[in-house]
Amino acid sequence: MNRRPTLLAALALTATAALTLSACGSDDDSPAKDKDAIAGAETGDKKSPSPAPSESDPASGGRPKITFPADAKNVFEYEKTGDAAKDAALLDSTLSINSVDEAIFKGSTDTEALGFYNAERALSASITFVNGYLKKNHTWVGETRYFDYEVKLSGANAAYVTYCSDESKSFLKNRKTAKVDNTPTTADSYVLYHTKLAKNADGVWQTTDIASDRGSKTCQP
């Protein structure tokens, strides 16, 4: 199924080239159709999928806890790098995704986590994306898998994270009727993401920009 609305994809794709070039040239010390992405794993492992968002969101230290309904789940497959900054950026990247999905589930863009893990263009695009769901009375169910993570640092406060998503097991659901749209798996079920993150004064790696390539051959099985 396709979980990203056309408007978010259009907004995000304008930044694809810039993000890709920035990531490749960095000093590495070591939002198509309807639906959304999710995240919130504390750690990832290619052999052992990350815990469910409700079990792994760091709610301590002033961080908001993100909760999902029982019929929706994100699985994050990545391995810790051993670099504290990179691992923190990876974790907050997944929480950024989860915060957007939580807003969809709660039916509001006025959630604590949405503005906590997203800023600048990524925040405005996420709000537009969530509102697109709400206007159509959509939510989603199932499982979305995130994999093939790569992270690069640029100085002490900037990071670039790329990853793939597999939406073949997640589906749109009508919020009023509860009808699930069991769409078939196609090339568009796989998406490549390029994201930019900035560490704020509180040490949170906020996603500030995002570009997506739906149907990317890089992510297809």
Side-chain angles (χ1 to χ4, degrees):
M1 72 146 289
N2 298 335
R3 300 179 51 223
R4 289 277 180 183
T6 303
L7 181 56
L8 180 58
L11 288 170
L13 284 172
T14 60
T16 302
L19 288 176
T20 303
L21 289 173
S22 297
C24 292
S26 64
D27 179 13
D28 180 19
D29 291 335
S30 234
K33 292 184 182 178
D34 260 287
K35 223 175 174 190
D36 170 4
I38 7 178
E42 181 176 355
T43 181
D45 189 300
K46 293 180 180 178
K47 296 182 180 179
S48 301
S50 303
S54 60
E55 299 172 348
S56 60
D57 290 344
S60 60
R63 285 172 172 256
K65 182 176 178 62
I66 297 173
T67 58
F68 276 29
D71 59 359
K73 178 182 180 181
N74 282 327
V75 175
F76 302 95
E77 298 177 354
Y78 69 87
E79 295 178 342
K80 287 187 175 181
T81 67
D83 181 292
K86 286 184 175 182
D87 290 339
L90 283 169
L91 173 58
D92 284 349
S93 172
T94 67
L95 293 172
S96 165
I97 301 172
N98 267 352
S99 71
V100 177
D101 279 333
E102 182 191 46
I104 292 174
F105 298 137
K106 289 189 172 181
S108 172
T109 58
D110 190 25
T111 61
E112 185 180 1
L114 191 62
F116 191 91
Y117 291 109
N118 302 279
E120 301 178 17
R121 286 193 292 185
L123 177 58
S124 60
S126 295
I127 291 173
T128 298
F129 173 54
V130 173
N131 282 331
Y133 263 73
L134 302 185
K135 288 179 180 178
K136 294 184 177 181
N137 290 314
H138 282 162
T139 182
W140 65 270
V141 298
E143 176 181 304
T144 303
R145 183 171 68 97
Y146 295 88
F147 60 101
D148 281 358
Y149 274 84
E150 292 185 11
V151 56
K152 295 180 181 291
L153 299 178
S154 180
N157 299 312
Y160 298 89
V161 178
T162 63
Y163 55 89
C164 293
S165 72
D166 173 0
E167 302 173 356
S168 62
K169 296 181 180 179
S170 56
F171 308 93
L172 288 172
K173 177 181 178 180
N174 187 286
R175 194 180 297 271
K176 290 186 176 180
T177 67
K179 181 180 178 180
V180 176
D181 186 5
N182 291 302
T183 52
T185 299
T186 68
D188 282 347
S189 301
Y190 302 92
V191 190
L192 173 65
Y193 292 97
H194 297 272
T195 63
K196 180 180 179 181
L197 291 81
K199 187 167 69 172
N200 67 14
D202 296 320
V204 179
W205 287 91
Q206 294 180 304
T207 297
T208 58
D209 214 340
I210 182 170
S212 61
D213 181 10
R214 181 168 292 281
S216 171
K217 291 183 178 180
T218 300
C219 300
Q220 295 179 39

